[in-house]
Amino acid sequence: MRRLLLAAALLAASGCATYQGARLYDRGTLALERGDAAAAVADLEGAAALVPHASEIQNHLGLAYDAQGRPGDALAAFQRAVALDCDNEAAQRNLHAAEARTAVAGEAK
């Protein structure tokens, strides 16, 4: 449901780039849901380039990076998501979890 709301909001912002960004976001999110992290990253990076102000895109990009084993990139994407929209609760949860994993990994070194 949230994915559909974001797509509608992106489309309402008008413009070909925004429309293509919404399509890439949807495709990337579906790839993430089916476990195809490489496809998810490719599509969500494209969406983020086209619609850089969309917190939800950054959040899903962070999830895709995490699924691909790229914790530093995931952390940065979650930070961008929260910076863009501090009310994005999913991004806040993901950021806190990524920070905790990073702290544990740092302690293990």
XYZ file of all heavy atoms in Angstrom:
783
model
N 0.819 -1.185 0.000
C 0.000 0.000 0.000
C 0.866 1.252 0.000
O 0.646 2.164 -0.760
C -0.928 -0.038 1.222
C -1.816 1.160 1.316
S -2.971 1.201 -0.057
C -4.204 2.232 0.584
N 1.891 1.262 0.874
C 2.766 2.433 0.942
C 3.485 2.639 -0.385
O 3.712 3.758 -0.804
C 3.761 2.273 2.090
C 4.609 3.506 2.289
C 5.374 3.437 3.611
N 6.354 4.482 3.662
C 6.222 5.576 4.385
N 5.171 5.757 5.128
N 7.162 6.496 4.392
N 3.861 1.538 -1.059
C 4.537 1.641 -2.346
C 3.634 2.322 -3.355
O 4.071 3.177 -4.112
C 4.946 0.244 -2.824
C 5.778 0.282 -4.077
C 6.290 -1.088 -4.469
N 5.202 -1.854 -5.019
C 4.890 -3.081 -4.675
N 5.567 -3.707 -3.760
N 3.898 -3.719 -5.234
N 2.353 1.985 -3.352
C 1.411 2.610 -4.278
C 1.215 4.086 -3.969
O 1.107 4.905 -4.871
C 0.069 1.883 -4.240
C 0.075 0.453 -4.766
C -1.290 -0.187 -4.557
C 0.464 0.424 -6.225
N 1.185 4.424 -2.681
C 1.051 5.831 -2.296
C 2.255 6.635 -2.740
O 2.108 7.762 -3.224
C 0.853 5.950 -0.789
C -0.469 5.418 -0.244
C -0.477 5.478 1.278
C -1.638 6.201 -0.811
N 3.462 6.068 -2.593
C 4.649 6.785 -3.029
C 4.636 6.965 -4.538
O 4.925 8.042 -5.038
C 5.931 6.067 -2.602
C 7.191 6.753 -3.117
C 7.378 8.106 -2.440
C 8.404 5.899 -2.920
N 4.292 5.917 -5.257
C 4.234 6.026 -6.712
C 3.251 7.105 -7.131
O 3.538 7.907 -8.024
C 3.861 4.683 -7.332
N 2.107 7.169 -6.479
C 1.120 8.199 -6.803
C 1.658 9.588 -6.492
O 1.475 10.524 -7.272
C -0.176 7.950 -6.031
N 2.349 9.721 -5.374
C 2.916 11.027 -5.009
C 3.999 11.443 -5.987
O 4.079 12.611 -6.374
C 3.479 10.975 -3.594
N 4.813 10.488 -6.410
C 5.856 10.813 -7.379
C 5.255 11.232 -8.709
O 5.723 12.176 -9.342
C 6.793 9.619 -7.569
C 7.672 9.259 -6.382
C 8.442 7.980 -6.662
C 8.613 10.380 -6.027
N 4.218 10.537 -9.121
C 3.568 10.886 -10.379
C 2.903 12.248 -10.299
O 2.902 13.012 -11.267
C 2.545 9.817 -10.767
C 3.142 8.479 -11.182
C 2.040 7.462 -11.416
C 4.003 8.625 -12.416
N 2.354 12.579 -9.148
C 1.703 13.874 -8.976
C 2.705 15.017 -9.092
O 2.343 16.133 -9.440
C 0.986 13.929 -7.630
N 3.975 14.737 -8.809
C 5.009 15.761 -8.902
C 5.327 16.104 -10.353
O 6.011 17.070 -10.614
C 6.271 15.295 -8.180
N 4.822 15.322 -11.274
C 4.934 15.499 -12.722
C 6.354 15.371 -13.229
O 7.303 15.392 -12.489
C 4.298 16.817 -13.176
O 5.125 17.904 -12.839
N 6.445 15.257 -14.546
C 7.723 15.167 -15.214
C 8.070 13.748 -15.585
O 7.759 12.808 -14.871
N 8.733 13.625 -16.721
C 9.134 12.302 -17.220
C 10.116 11.617 -16.277
O 10.018 10.412 -16.052
C 9.752 12.431 -18.606
S 8.570 12.913 -19.869
N 11.061 12.379 -15.728
C 12.040 11.783 -14.820
C 11.351 11.229 -13.580
O 11.685 10.149 -13.101
C 13.104 12.803 -14.425
N 10.373 11.958 -13.078
C 9.652 11.501 -11.896
C 8.850 10.249 -12.207
O 8.815 9.312 -11.406
C 8.732 12.614 -11.366
O 9.538 13.756 -11.096
C 8.024 12.196 -10.097
N 8.224 10.212 -13.361
C 7.463 9.028 -13.773
C 8.395 7.824 -13.891
O 8.095 6.742 -13.376
C 6.756 9.294 -15.100
C 6.056 8.078 -15.645
C 4.872 7.623 -15.087
C 6.597 7.358 -16.710
C 4.232 6.494 -15.564
C 5.968 6.225 -17.195
C 4.788 5.796 -16.624
O 4.170 4.672 -17.103
N 9.527 8.005 -14.551
C 10.480 6.902 -14.694
C 11.028 6.498 -13.328
O 11.227 5.316 -13.057
C 11.630 7.296 -15.632
C 12.628 6.182 -15.883
C 12.022 4.952 -16.540
O 10.965 5.004 -17.170
N 12.687 3.832 -16.409
N 11.255 7.462 -12.448
C 11.720 7.150 -11.099
C 10.722 6.295 -10.343
O 11.091 5.356 -9.646
N 9.431 6.619 -10.483
C 8.389 5.830 -9.825
C 8.360 4.410 -10.372
O 8.193 3.450 -9.604
C 7.029 6.498 -10.012
N 8.529 4.267 -11.661
C 8.550 2.923 -12.262
C 9.753 2.121 -11.755
O 9.632 0.940 -11.438
C 8.576 3.013 -13.781
C 7.260 3.543 -14.354
C 7.233 3.555 -15.854
N 7.290 2.173 -16.317
C 7.932 1.785 -17.427
N 8.541 2.666 -18.185
N 7.943 0.532 -17.789
N 10.917 2.775 -11.684
C 12.107 2.087 -11.192
C 11.975 1.729 -9.712
O 12.408 0.662 -9.283
C 13.347 2.953 -11.416
C 13.815 3.068 -12.858
C 14.882 4.149 -12.990
C 14.328 1.730 -13.368
N 11.380 2.622 -8.937
C 11.136 2.345 -7.518
C 10.253 1.104 -7.366
O 10.556 0.195 -6.579
C 10.485 3.554 -6.850
C 9.934 3.250 -5.479
C 10.765 3.167 -4.380
C 8.578 3.038 -5.294
C 10.264 2.887 -3.117
C 8.061 2.761 -4.042
C 8.910 2.684 -2.962
O 8.400 2.393 -1.718
N 9.183 1.060 -8.137
C 8.267 -0.079 -8.056
C 8.974 -1.367 -8.467
O 8.882 -2.384 -7.786
C 7.036 0.185 -8.928
C 5.925 -0.804 -8.656
O 5.628 -1.063 -7.475
O 5.347 -1.326 -9.632
N 9.702 -1.324 -9.578
C 10.424 -2.505 -10.054
C 11.486 -2.945 -9.053
O 11.652 -4.140 -8.774
C 11.070 -2.190 -11.405
C 10.816 -3.216 -12.440
C 11.287 -2.847 -13.796
N 12.659 -2.343 -13.836
C 13.215 -1.829 -14.916
N 12.531 -1.726 -16.031
N 14.450 -1.404 -14.891
N 12.225 -1.973 -8.493
C 13.268 -2.294 -7.519
C 12.702 -2.883 -6.247
O 13.273 -3.805 -5.666
N 11.569 -2.353 -5.808
C 10.924 -2.872 -4.605
C 10.446 -4.304 -4.830
O 10.614 -5.168 -3.958
C 9.759 -1.962 -4.188
O 10.304 -0.662 -3.888
C 9.049 -2.490 -2.966
N 9.887 -4.564 -5.992
C 9.454 -5.934 -6.311
C 10.649 -6.881 -6.368
O 10.571 -8.018 -5.882
C 8.678 -5.958 -7.624
C 7.303 -5.287 -7.582
C 6.699 -5.204 -8.988
C 6.374 -6.019 -6.640
N 11.764 -6.427 -6.937
C 12.973 -7.253 -6.992
C 13.480 -7.547 -5.579
O 13.883 -8.671 -5.273
C 14.051 -6.554 -7.815
N 13.421 -6.546 -4.722
C 13.832 -6.727 -3.329
C 12.942 -7.754 -2.640
O 13.436 -8.641 -1.933
C 13.766 -5.377 -2.605
C 14.310 -5.291 -1.203
C 15.784 -5.661 -1.153
C 14.113 -3.887 -0.663
N 11.640 -7.671 -2.868
C 10.699 -8.608 -2.251
C 10.923 -10.046 -2.703
O 10.685 -10.976 -1.946
C 9.265 -8.170 -2.548
C 8.864 -6.913 -1.803
C 7.517 -6.342 -2.229
O 6.890 -6.885 -3.182
O 7.099 -5.337 -1.627
N 11.387 -10.226 -3.926
C 11.622 -11.593 -4.400
C 13.062 -12.063 -4.171
O 13.438 -13.153 -4.585
C 11.190 -11.752 -5.855
C 12.010 -11.055 -6.871
C 11.562 -11.405 -8.311
N 12.449 -10.759 -9.231
C 12.296 -9.540 -9.732
N 11.222 -8.841 -9.423
N 13.193 -9.033 -10.543
N 13.870 -11.208 -3.502
C 15.218 -11.618 -3.120
C 16.289 -11.376 -4.162
O 17.394 -11.896 -4.039
N 16.009 -10.583 -5.172
C 16.983 -10.282 -6.219
C 17.645 -8.942 -5.894
O 17.263 -7.891 -6.412
C 16.293 -10.239 -7.580
C 17.256 -10.113 -8.744
O 18.463 -9.842 -8.513
O 16.807 -10.263 -9.894
N 18.644 -9.002 -5.006
C 19.276 -7.778 -4.510
C 19.974 -6.999 -5.623
O 19.915 -5.770 -5.640
C 20.262 -8.109 -3.400
N 20.614 -7.679 -6.557
C 21.331 -6.980 -7.625
C 20.368 -6.161 -8.489
O 20.641 -4.989 -8.794
C 22.106 -7.972 -8.482
N 19.258 -6.745 -8.865
C 18.267 -6.019 -9.661
C 17.653 -4.889 -8.853
O 17.413 -3.790 -9.377
C 17.178 -6.972 -10.161
N 17.419 -5.141 -7.566
C 16.843 -4.111 -6.695
C 17.773 -2.910 -6.602
O 17.337 -1.764 -6.740
C 16.556 -4.683 -5.309
N 19.058 -3.161 -6.393
C 20.027 -2.066 -6.296
C 20.059 -1.276 -7.600
O 20.010 -0.040 -7.589
C 21.433 -2.584 -5.920
C 22.498 -1.521 -6.158
C 21.460 -3.039 -4.466
N 20.124 -1.956 -8.717
C 20.195 -1.264 -10.008
C 18.977 -0.366 -10.217
O 19.111 0.814 -10.577
C 20.313 -2.277 -11.140
N 17.790 -0.901 -9.987
C 16.575 -0.111 -10.194
C 16.436 1.012 -9.175
O 16.069 2.140 -9.523
C 15.332 -1.007 -10.153
C 15.194 -1.865 -11.399
O 15.753 -1.503 -12.456
O 14.513 -2.901 -11.312
N 16.736 0.730 -7.916
C 16.570 1.742 -6.884
C 17.634 2.830 -6.978
O 17.357 3.992 -6.675
C 16.540 1.093 -5.506
C 15.292 0.241 -5.262
C 15.462 -0.649 -4.043
C 14.061 1.112 -5.135
N 18.841 2.495 -7.415
C 19.839 3.537 -7.665
C 19.370 4.456 -8.786
O 19.535 5.682 -8.704
C 21.197 2.932 -8.024
C 21.961 2.397 -6.852
C 23.301 1.793 -7.210
O 23.517 1.392 -8.380
O 24.142 1.700 -6.305
N 18.779 3.867 -9.824
C 18.228 4.680 -10.913
C 17.103 5.576 -10.429
O 17.036 6.761 -10.778
N 16.224 5.029 -9.597
C 15.121 5.822 -9.049
C 15.648 6.960 -8.178
O 15.169 8.091 -8.263
C 14.181 4.922 -8.235
N 16.653 6.667 -7.369
C 17.230 7.688 -6.484
C 17.896 8.804 -7.286
O 17.839 9.967 -6.890
C 18.229 7.051 -5.521
N 18.500 8.461 -8.399
C 19.119 9.488 -9.241
C 18.065 10.396 -9.871
O 18.275 11.595 -10.013
C 19.973 8.831 -10.322
N 16.930 9.812 -10.232
C 15.868 10.584 -10.878
C 15.014 11.364 -9.888
O 14.480 12.427 -10.221
C 14.976 9.652 -11.701
C 15.643 9.036 -12.935
C 14.765 7.924 -13.507
C 15.925 10.098 -13.973
N 14.835 10.816 -8.684
C 13.984 11.454 -7.671
C 14.778 11.494 -6.347
O 14.490 10.741 -5.412
C 12.655 10.692 -7.500
C 11.675 11.490 -6.654
C 12.027 10.348 -8.843
N 15.791 12.353 -6.273
C 16.691 12.345 -5.113
C 16.054 12.813 -3.812
O 16.617 12.581 -2.743
C 17.817 13.298 -5.549
C 17.199 14.183 -6.569
C 16.168 13.336 -7.280
N 14.886 13.407 -3.864
C 14.225 13.925 -2.662
C 13.246 12.934 -2.033
O 12.563 13.281 -1.086
C 13.481 15.219 -3.006
C 12.470 15.037 -4.084
N 12.809 15.069 -5.419
C 11.143 14.780 -4.036
C 11.711 14.841 -6.138
N 10.699 14.660 -5.326
N 13.186 11.705 -2.534
C 12.215 10.719 -2.046
C 12.836 9.840 -0.961
O 13.672 8.981 -1.236
C 11.696 9.863 -3.196
N 12.409 10.059 0.262
C 12.909 9.308 1.405
C 12.666 7.807 1.265
O 13.538 6.995 1.590
C 12.237 9.831 2.683
O 12.605 9.076 3.795
N 11.490 7.433 0.792
C 11.156 6.010 0.686
C 12.068 5.292 -0.313
O 12.432 4.131 -0.110
C 9.685 5.838 0.296
C 9.193 4.429 0.447
C 9.183 3.933 1.893
O 9.028 4.731 2.822
O 9.339 2.704 2.091
N 12.441 5.972 -1.378
C 13.379 5.367 -2.330
C 14.712 5.114 -1.638
O 15.305 4.030 -1.767
C 13.558 6.243 -3.581
C 12.269 6.249 -4.408
C 14.736 5.753 -4.423
C 12.276 7.211 -5.587
N 15.206 6.105 -0.885
C 16.475 5.937 -0.175
C 16.391 4.795 0.838
O 17.337 4.013 0.975
C 16.870 7.237 0.523
C 17.250 8.345 -0.422
C 18.484 8.035 -1.243
O 19.407 7.368 -0.781
N 18.501 8.507 -2.469
N 15.259 4.683 1.520
C 15.086 3.613 2.494
C 15.146 2.245 1.818
O 15.851 1.346 2.278
C 13.766 3.788 3.248
C 13.592 2.762 4.339
O 14.463 2.577 5.178
N 12.464 2.078 4.331
N 14.432 2.091 0.727
C 14.452 0.808 0.023
C 15.824 0.533 -0.588
O 16.257 -0.620 -0.645
C 13.349 0.767 -1.035
C 12.005 0.522 -0.446
N 10.963 -0.019 -1.151
C 11.511 0.734 0.801
C 9.904 -0.128 -0.377
N 10.217 0.340 0.812
N 16.499 1.583 -1.036
C 17.862 1.409 -1.540
C 18.764 0.892 -0.420
O 19.588 -0.001 -0.647
C 18.385 2.727 -2.112
C 19.787 2.706 -2.707
C 19.907 1.657 -3.816
C 20.140 4.095 -3.238
N 18.590 1.411 0.783
C 19.354 0.908 1.919
C 19.086 -0.567 2.179
O 20.005 -1.347 2.442
N 17.820 -0.953 2.088
C 17.479 -2.376 2.262
C 18.136 -3.237 1.184
O 18.625 -4.342 1.467
C 15.958 -2.558 2.223
C 15.177 -1.943 3.380
C 13.677 -2.012 3.098
C 15.524 -2.619 4.696
N 18.148 -2.734 -0.038
C 18.760 -3.478 -1.142
C 20.269 -3.595 -0.946
O 20.852 -4.667 -1.157
C 18.429 -2.806 -2.472
N 20.916 -2.496 -0.541
C 22.352 -2.558 -0.253
C 22.630 -3.562 0.863
O 23.581 -4.339 0.782
C 22.878 -1.191 0.172
C 23.067 -0.185 -0.933
C 22.814 1.168 -0.696
C 23.519 -0.548 -2.200
C 23.008 2.123 -1.682
C 23.707 0.393 -3.197
C 23.458 1.729 -2.937
O 23.652 2.676 -3.910
N 21.810 -3.539 1.896
C 21.989 -4.468 3.003
C 21.861 -5.909 2.516
O 22.664 -6.765 2.874
C 20.978 -4.168 4.108
C 21.320 -4.864 5.400
O 22.487 -4.782 5.833
O 20.416 -5.498 5.978
N 20.865 -6.158 1.677
C 20.660 -7.510 1.138
C 21.828 -7.942 0.256
O 22.104 -9.133 0.126
C 19.354 -7.563 0.340
N 22.516 -6.967 -0.321
C 23.652 -7.265 -1.191
C 24.962 -7.348 -0.404
O 26.010 -7.579 -0.974
C 23.754 -6.196 -2.284
C 24.465 -6.655 -3.527
C 24.404 -5.622 -4.622
O 24.602 -4.439 -4.390
N 24.134 -6.075 -5.831
N 24.888 -7.161 0.918
C 26.085 -7.249 1.746
C 26.946 -5.998 1.683
O 28.168 -6.082 1.783
N 26.314 -4.843 1.559
C 27.027 -3.559 1.485
C 26.588 -2.665 2.653
O 25.837 -1.715 2.475
C 26.735 -2.893 0.141
C 27.239 -3.706 -1.039
C 26.729 -3.221 -2.375
N 27.052 -1.828 -2.657
C 26.655 -1.204 -3.766
N 25.947 -1.847 -4.688
N 26.967 0.057 -3.955
N 27.047 -2.998 3.872
C 26.547 -2.290 5.050
C 26.859 -0.800 5.077
O 26.050 -0.007 5.557
C 27.209 -3.023 6.220
C 28.406 -3.686 5.623
C 28.039 -4.011 4.211
N 27.990 -0.377 4.576
C 28.321 1.042 4.567
C 27.390 1.833 3.668
O 26.923 2.925 4.026
N 27.107 1.280 2.494
C 26.181 1.933 1.570
C 24.770 1.933 2.140
O 24.029 2.901 1.976
C 26.195 1.237 0.208
C 27.510 1.443 -0.544
O 28.138 2.513 -0.371
O 27.904 0.543 -1.304
N 24.400 0.841 2.805
C 23.069 0.761 3.419
C 22.919 1.838 4.488
O 21.915 2.559 4.519
C 22.842 -0.625 4.025
N 23.918 1.963 5.343
C 23.879 2.972 6.406
C 23.728 4.370 5.813
O 22.898 5.164 6.266
C 25.140 2.877 7.260
C 25.260 3.872 8.407
C 24.138 3.676 9.422
C 26.617 3.733 9.081
N 24.494 4.679 4.772
C 24.425 6.003 4.145
C 23.044 6.256 3.531
O 22.503 7.357 3.642
C 25.515 6.134 3.082
N 22.460 5.241 2.917
C 21.126 5.402 2.314
C 20.070 5.627 3.395
O 19.183 6.475 3.233
C 20.773 4.184 1.462
N 20.162 4.895 4.507
C 19.210 5.099 5.597
C 19.369 6.499 6.197
O 18.381 7.152 6.535
C 19.377 4.040 6.686
C 19.049 2.639 6.247
C 19.847 1.577 6.629
C 17.938 2.369 5.451
C 19.554 0.275 6.238
C 17.635 1.076 5.053
C 18.442 0.027 5.441
N 20.605 6.957 6.314
C 20.835 8.314 6.821
C 20.208 9.359 5.901
O 19.585 10.312 6.371
C 22.336 8.578 6.979
C 22.956 7.812 8.119
C 24.478 7.858 8.117
O 25.109 8.035 7.075
N 25.071 7.679 9.293
N 20.371 9.177 4.582
C 19.751 10.103 3.618
C 18.236 10.053 3.739
O 17.572 11.088 3.691
C 20.181 9.770 2.190
C 21.574 10.245 1.835
C 21.879 10.115 0.355
N 21.731 8.766 -0.159
C 22.669 7.836 -0.153
N 23.858 8.101 0.353
N 22.449 6.643 -0.656
N 17.681 8.851 3.886
C 16.225 8.708 3.989
C 15.681 9.485 5.182
O 14.686 10.196 5.069
C 15.841 7.226 4.093
N 16.348 9.360 6.320
C 15.897 10.062 7.530
C 16.123 11.565 7.389
O 15.285 12.363 7.813
C 16.588 9.488 8.786
C 16.308 10.341 10.009
C 16.124 8.043 9.022
N 17.216 11.966 6.768
C 17.474 13.395 6.569
C 16.407 14.016 5.672
O 16.008 15.160 5.882
C 18.862 13.603 5.970
N 15.937 13.258 4.694
C 14.903 13.758 3.781
C 13.532 13.828 4.452
O 12.719 14.693 4.135
C 14.824 12.875 2.531
C 15.984 13.017 1.567
C 15.978 11.865 0.566
C 15.921 14.366 0.851
N 13.263 12.870 5.345
C 11.958 12.826 6.018
C 12.140 12.202 7.398
O 12.150 10.974 7.529
C 10.958 12.023 5.190
C 9.588 11.915 5.837
O 9.362 12.537 6.905
O 8.725 11.207 5.283
N 12.257 13.050 8.395
C 12.496 12.544 9.748
C 11.279 11.816 10.311
O 11.377 11.157 11.349
C 12.939 13.665 10.676
S 11.734 14.981 10.882
N 10.137 11.886 9.630
C 8.942 11.162 10.069
C 8.815 9.779 9.422
O 7.853 9.066 9.673
C 7.682 11.980 9.762
C 7.594 13.235 10.613
O 8.044 13.188 11.774
O 7.088 14.257 10.119
N 9.769 9.404 8.588
C 9.752 8.094 7.946
C 10.192 7.064 8.988
O 11.382 6.849 9.208
C 10.677 8.088 6.722
C 10.632 6.788 5.961
O 10.299 5.739 6.503
N 10.980 6.848 4.690
N 9.206 6.457 9.644
C 9.484 5.537 10.746
C 10.239 4.292 10.307
O 11.105 3.797 11.034
C 8.189 5.168 11.452
C 7.554 6.345 12.165
C 6.217 6.017 12.806
O 5.861 4.823 12.878
O 5.546 6.968 13.241
N 9.934 3.787 9.123
C 10.645 2.605 8.627
C 12.126 2.935 8.435
O 13.003 2.141 8.812
C 10.024 2.113 7.322
N 12.405 4.092 7.871
C 13.797 4.497 7.673
C 14.505 4.695 9.008
O 15.673 4.329 9.157
C 13.859 5.772 6.830
N 13.801 5.258 9.989
C 14.397 5.428 11.320
C 14.753 4.079 11.933
O 15.853 3.907 12.479
C 13.444 6.179 12.245
C 13.307 7.645 11.918
C 12.309 8.339 12.842
O 11.779 7.741 13.775
N 12.041 9.594 12.568
N 13.833 3.114 11.840
C 14.102 1.772 12.379
C 15.292 1.137 11.663
O 16.174 0.549 12.297
C 12.877 0.869 12.235
C 11.796 1.111 13.256
C 10.730 0.023 13.225
N 10.141 -0.160 11.903
C 9.105 0.521 11.437
N 8.541 1.457 12.172
N 8.624 0.273 10.235
N 15.307 1.254 10.344
C 16.397 0.662 9.571
C 17.728 1.333 9.874
O 18.764 0.671 9.945
C 16.077 0.724 8.077
C 14.933 -0.184 7.710
O 14.712 -1.219 8.350
N 14.173 0.186 6.696
N 17.702 2.654 10.063
C 18.930 3.380 10.411
C 19.455 2.910 11.768
O 20.651 2.621 11.912
C 18.675 4.887 10.422
C 19.831 5.757 10.908
C 21.077 5.541 10.054
C 19.416 7.223 10.917
N 18.586 2.809 12.761
C 19.024 2.376 14.090
C 19.590 0.955 14.042
O 20.608 0.666 14.684
C 17.880 2.468 15.102
C 17.469 3.888 15.383
N 18.333 4.858 15.819
C 16.275 4.487 15.264
C 17.698 5.998 15.964
N 16.435 5.799 15.632
N 18.950 0.086 13.281
C 19.442 -1.293 13.159
C 20.800 -1.320 12.460
O 21.707 -2.054 12.877
C 18.431 -2.148 12.403
N 20.960 -0.516 11.408
C 22.235 -0.466 10.687
C 23.340 0.109 11.572
O 24.473 -0.380 11.553
C 22.084 0.364 9.418
N 22.999 1.127 12.350
C 23.983 1.701 13.284
C 24.407 0.668 14.327
O 25.582 0.568 14.672
C 23.419 2.953 13.957
C 23.297 4.133 13.036
C 22.533 5.312 13.639
O 21.736 5.116 14.582
O 22.744 6.432 13.142
N 23.451 -0.097 14.818
C 23.766 -1.139 15.822
C 24.660 -2.213 15.213
O 25.633 -2.645 15.849
C 22.471 -1.761 16.354
N 24.356 -2.632 13.986
C 25.195 -3.642 13.321
C 26.613 -3.103 13.093
O 27.586 -3.828 13.252
C 24.573 -4.084 12.005
C 23.379 -4.986 12.157
C 22.945 -5.594 10.834
N 22.587 -4.612 9.833
C 21.380 -4.075 9.665
N 20.390 -4.447 10.472
N 21.139 -3.204 8.711
N 26.705 -1.835 12.722
C 28.005 -1.216 12.479
C 28.812 -1.147 13.781
O 30.016 -1.420 13.782
C 27.834 0.201 11.885
O 27.117 0.088 10.646
C 29.160 0.869 11.627
N 28.146 -0.807 14.881
C 28.822 -0.740 16.179
C 29.331 -2.121 16.594
O 30.466 -2.251 17.065
C 27.870 -0.181 17.227
N 28.518 -3.138 16.400
C 28.918 -4.504 16.756
C 30.087 -4.950 15.881
O 31.054 -5.538 16.374
C 27.717 -5.483 16.624
C 28.175 -6.927 16.709
C 26.688 -5.176 17.687
N 30.021 -4.632 14.599
C 31.115 -5.003 13.694
C 32.402 -4.282 14.080
O 33.485 -4.863 14.016
C 30.741 -4.679 12.251
N 32.287 -3.028 14.508
C 33.447 -2.275 14.947
C 34.075 -2.848 16.206
O 35.290 -2.859 16.361
N 33.234 -3.336 17.108
C 33.729 -3.936 18.345
C 34.409 -5.278 18.090
O 35.309 -5.670 18.816
C 32.569 -4.144 19.320
C 31.998 -2.850 19.872
C 30.749 -3.051 20.688
O 30.331 -4.220 20.888
O 30.149 -2.041 21.108
N 33.971 -5.962 17.021
C 34.519 -7.279 16.730
C 35.923 -7.181 16.126
O 36.649 -8.164 16.103
C 33.601 -8.025 15.773
N 36.311 -6.016 15.658
C 37.642 -5.859 15.033
C 38.737 -5.757 16.039
O 38.680 -5.414 17.114
C 37.643 -4.633 14.130
C 36.802 -4.862 12.889
C 36.893 -3.665 11.980
C 36.057 -3.916 10.741
N 36.161 -2.874 9.785
